[in-house]
């Protein structure tokens, strides 16, 4: 399976959040199986059973965060998600070279994945 990695957002990311770091895809051309696949509309999550009551502390903290801070977080989060494949590869290389518990590997892991 060949999927382009060009463009603002890759096809793999649009389909399933893939980031080209060893993700596996399964393609089926068996017509008997393909006939069984059905489209379903998205579930309506605005119904009462999906409403989650926020704890008092969570409500207080949510009020303290400005719209600008929320936008900055969302932008940083989205950028970070697009870089996970590179970060994972860099961490793997550091662990291979310096060891899993080395200061170098720990710094990269902390900076890459604990943001």
């Amino acid at each position: 399976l060949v999927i382009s990695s060009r463009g603002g957002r890759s096809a793999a990311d649009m389909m399933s959040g893939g980031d080209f770091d060893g993700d596996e895809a399964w393609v089926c051309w068996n017509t008997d199986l393909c006939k069984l696949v059905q489209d379903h509309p998205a579930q309506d999550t605005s119904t009462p059973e999906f409403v989650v009551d926020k704890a008092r502390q969570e409500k207080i903290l949510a009020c303290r965060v400005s719209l600008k801070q929320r936008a900055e977080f969302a932008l940083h989060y989205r950028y970070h998600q697009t870089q996970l494949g590179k970060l994972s590869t860099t961490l793997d290389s550091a662990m291979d070279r310096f060891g899993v518990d080395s200061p170098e590997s720990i710094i990269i892991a902390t900076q890459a994945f604990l943001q």
Side-chain angles (χ1 to χ4, degrees):
L1 175 64
V2 177
I3 299 176
S4 173
S5 61
R6 295 183 181 232
R9 189 167 174 212
S10 71
D13 184 38
M14 287 187 280
M15 288 186 274
S16 66
D19 53 17
F20 298 107
D21 66 349
D23 298 346
E24 294 183 13
W26 182 73
V27 178
C28 176
W29 296 104
N30 182 318
T31 54
D32 293 332
L33 288 177
C34 291
K35 288 177 189 175
L36 299 174
V37 176
Q38 298 176 4
D39 283 337
H40 292 279
Q43 191 168 15
D44 179 11
T45 57
S46 64
T47 58
E49 71 251 28
F50 288 98
V51 175
V52 176
D53 289 328
K54 293 183 180 178
R56 181 178 170 277
Q57 185 64 22
E58 186 178 2
K59 289 177 184 176
I60 292 169
L61 292 173
C63 293
R64 292 182 187 167
V65 179
S66 70
L67 184 58
K68 180 182 177 193
Q69 289 171 314
R70 291 176 194 209
E72 288 172 349
F73 175 82
L75 182 62
H76 173 74
Y77 178 82
R78 180 67 190 137
Y79 174 76
H80 185 73
Q81 293 298 309
T82 64
Q83 300 301 310
L84 283 178
K86 293 176 189 174
L87 294 168
S88 179
T89 302
T90 301
L91 178 58
D92 289 345
S93 297
M95 288 189 298
D96 288 344
R97 183 171 182 187
F98 302 111
V100 174
D101 292 328
S102 69
E104 294 86 355
S105 296
I106 292 170
I107 288 170
I108 293 170
T110 303
Q111 293 298 314
F113 298 104
L114 297 178
Q115 297 192 18

